[in-house]
Amino acid sequence: MNEGDIMPHRTPEALVVPAATAEIVDLPHGGAFHLLADAVDTGGALGANRLALGAGADGAAPHYHGRSTELFYVLAGIAEFLLDGTPTTAAAGSLVVVPPGMPHAFGAAPGSPVDLLIVLTPGIQRFEYFRHLGRIQRGHADFDSLLPEQQRYDVHFLPATAWRRPADATA
């Protein structure tokens, strides 16, 4: 190789996570996080989870990530997103990519459950964050208990704003 050529680099070992081995964090209304790969599993390259939400259920209130890009692939159903103040609907087969710093929120559309593959890159150790969200959703912890962990998980919550239509809040 000549000086200045791109040098080969070692890539992390392949990772295969069979569906039966993924940790599942149950959520109300038939929803669940399927924890697929945390940053430690990928050498920090990414974190991945699958999120199933019941019809009209919220996935996340308005927030942003300071360091990571978040990718959503809609596996089934219809998702609603708020992307930097703009409401967007994404049906099965749609891809949504949210850059660092962009305020966003998401959930299942009214009348439609949604199944999402979510990838955060670079990866942040977040499996405990999802477990904590499960405890909050099931009433075993309150949302305020998550606030001191915003920097650790690179999830920065925005002041409470209604991002969905009032009819959606009852689903």
Side-chain angles (χ1 to χ4, degrees), residues 1 6-12:
M1 294 190 99
I6 296 175
M7 299 293 292
H9 62 281
R10 184 177 181 279
T11 58

Short mmCIF file of all heavy atoms in Angstrom, two decimals, residues 1 6-12:
data_model
loop_
_atom_site.label_atom_id
_atom_site.label_comp_id
_atom_site.label_asym_id
_atom_site.label_seq_id
_atom_site.Cartn_x
_atom_site.Cartn_y
_atom_site.Cartn_z
N MET A 1 0.84 -1.19 0.00
CA MET A 1 0.00 0.00 0.00
C MET A 1 0.88 1.24 0.00
O MET A 1 1.94 1.27 0.60
CB MET A 1 -0.89 0.02 1.24
CG MET A 1 -1.93 -1.07 1.30
SD MET A 1 -3.10 -0.80 2.63
CE MET A 1 -4.43 -0.08 1.69
N ILE A 6 -6.22 3.99 2.01
CA ILE A 6 -7.06 3.58 3.13
C ILE A 6 -6.57 2.23 3.61
O ILE A 6 -6.43 1.29 2.84
CB ILE A 6 -8.53 3.52 2.72
CG1 ILE A 6 -9.01 4.93 2.32
CG2 ILE A 6 -9.39 2.95 3.83
CD1 ILE A 6 -10.41 4.97 1.78
N MET A 7 -6.29 2.15 4.89
CA MET A 7 -5.78 0.92 5.48
C MET A 7 -6.95 0.00 5.82
O MET A 7 -8.00 0.46 6.25
CB MET A 7 -4.99 1.23 6.76
CG MET A 7 -3.77 2.11 6.53
SD MET A 7 -2.50 1.29 5.57
CE MET A 7 -2.00 0.03 6.70
N PRO A 8 -6.75 -1.30 5.62
CA PRO A 8 -7.79 -2.22 6.07
C PRO A 8 -7.94 -2.13 7.58
O PRO A 8 -6.99 -1.82 8.28
CB PRO A 8 -7.27 -3.59 5.65
CG PRO A 8 -5.92 -3.40 5.10
CD PRO A 8 -5.61 -1.94 5.06
N HIS A 9 -9.13 -2.36 8.06
CA HIS A 9 -9.35 -2.32 9.50
C HIS A 9 -10.15 -3.54 9.91
O HIS A 9 -10.86 -4.14 9.12
CB HIS A 9 -10.07 -1.04 9.91
CG HIS A 9 -11.43 -0.90 9.33
ND1 HIS A 9 -11.65 -0.47 8.03
CD2 HIS A 9 -12.65 -1.14 9.85
CE1 HIS A 9 -12.94 -0.46 7.79
NE2 HIS A 9 -13.57 -0.86 8.86
N ARG A 10 -9.96 -3.89 11.15
CA ARG A 10 -10.67 -5.04 11.70
C ARG A 10 -12.10 -4.62 12.00
O ARG A 10 -12.35 -3.60 12.63
CB ARG A 10 -9.99 -5.52 12.97
CG ARG A 10 -10.61 -6.76 13.54
CD ARG A 10 -9.82 -7.23 14.77
NE ARG A 10 -10.41 -8.44 15.27
CZ ARG A 10 -11.49 -8.47 16.06
NH1 ARG A 10 -12.10 -7.37 16.41
NH2 ARG A 10 -11.96 -9.62 16.49
N THR A 11 -13.04 -5.39 11.53
CA THR A 11 -14.43 -5.12 11.83
C THR A 11 -14.85 -5.97 13.02
O THR A 11 -14.27 -7.02 13.27
CB THR A 11 -15.33 -5.44 10.62
OG1 THR A 11 -15.15 -6.80 10.28
CG2 THR A 11 -15.00 -4.55 9.44
N PRO A 12 -15.87 -5.53 13.75
CA PRO A 12 -16.35 -6.35 14.87
C PRO A 12 -16.84 -7.70 14.36
O PRO A 12 -17.19 -7.83 13.18
CB PRO A 12 -17.49 -5.54 15.46
CG PRO A 12 -17.49 -4.23 14.79
CD PRO A 12 -16.61 -4.32 13.57
#
